């Protein structure tokens, strides 16, 4: 499996997925271009990322009235928001582990919702802080 590595995290990709870094975001896509996962990260200089930080990072979604689910992804804990807009189905994770914060935003066309859930779970399960 190919490995994607940044200064603050690594993960493994299934063969049919590819990644490219675009400024502070890593864009991961499947080979047919149906799904897209974008990951960005922040590492605090001191202290640990707390629940209040996750609340602030997800403020826009909370202000829209969206309700998160508490999640665990490997050794990360956080919040998952799942919602649709006019065109896309979205799953947005706000994850923390120690001083590390990761935002992972997945989207696909609404008619493809659920199609890549297993692959996305497999990818995120390999997420490790550096």
């Amino acid at each position: 499996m190919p490995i994607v590595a940044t200064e603050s995290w690594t993960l493994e990709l299934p063969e049919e997925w590819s990644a490219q870094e675009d400024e502070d975001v890593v864009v991961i896509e499947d080979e047919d271009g149906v799904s897209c996962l974008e990951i960005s990260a922040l590492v605090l200089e001191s202290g640990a990322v707390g629940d209040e930080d996750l609340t602030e990072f997800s403020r826009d979604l909370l202000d829209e009235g969206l309700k998160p689910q508490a999640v665990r992804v490997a050794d990360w804990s956080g919040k998952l928001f799942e919602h649709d807009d006019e065109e896309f189905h979205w799953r947005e994770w706000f994850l923390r582990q120690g001083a590390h914060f990761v935002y992972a935003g997945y989207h696909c066309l609404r008619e493809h919702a659920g199609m890549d859930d297993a692959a996305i779970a497999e990818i995120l399960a390999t997420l490790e802080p550096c």
Side-chain angles (χ1 to χ4, degrees):
M1 294 180 99
I3 295 184
V4 177
T6 71
E7 291 181 4
S8 60
W9 56 267
T10 64
L11 58 69
E12 296 177 23
L13 292 181
E15 294 296 331
E16 63 275 7
W17 292 73
S18 63
Q20 63 183 8
E21 194 160 355
D22 184 22
E23 299 204 15
D24 294 333
V25 177
V26 174
V27 179
I28 301 169
E29 296 180 303
D30 63 354
E31 64 188 1
D32 56 11
V34 171
S35 298
C36 179
L37 177 65
E38 298 177 346
I39 300 176
S40 58
L42 170 72
V43 180
L44 299 179
E45 290 184 21
S46 64
V49 177
D51 286 337
E52 63 281 353
D53 297 312
L54 295 184
T55 297
E56 284 310 307
F57 294 143
S58 60
R59 175 64 54 208
D60 290 347
L61 296 174
L62 292 167
D63 287 349
E64 289 178 27
L66 297 174
K67 304 290 184 210
Q69 304 170 39
V71 292
R72 292 225 27 106
V73 175
D75 291 329
W76 301 79
S77 61
K79 300 177 180 192
L80 167 63
F81 292 82
E82 193 164 355
H83 57 97
D84 292 336
D85 62 22
E86 290 182 17
E87 189 175 0
F88 296 107
H89 173 70
W90 290 86
R91 297 176 74 206
E92 298 182 76
W93 292 262
F94 294 81
L95 303 172
R96 66 183 176 96
Q97 183 179 150
H100 292 263
F101 163 73
V102 166
Y103 165 79
Y106 165 81
H107 70 276
C108 64
L109 293 173
R110 289 175 64 182
E111 60 263 25
H112 297 297
M115 185 175 80
D116 285 323
D117 286 357
I120 297 299
E122 178 183 335
I123 291 168
L124 291 177
T126 67
L127 183 64
E128 294 285 339
C130 294

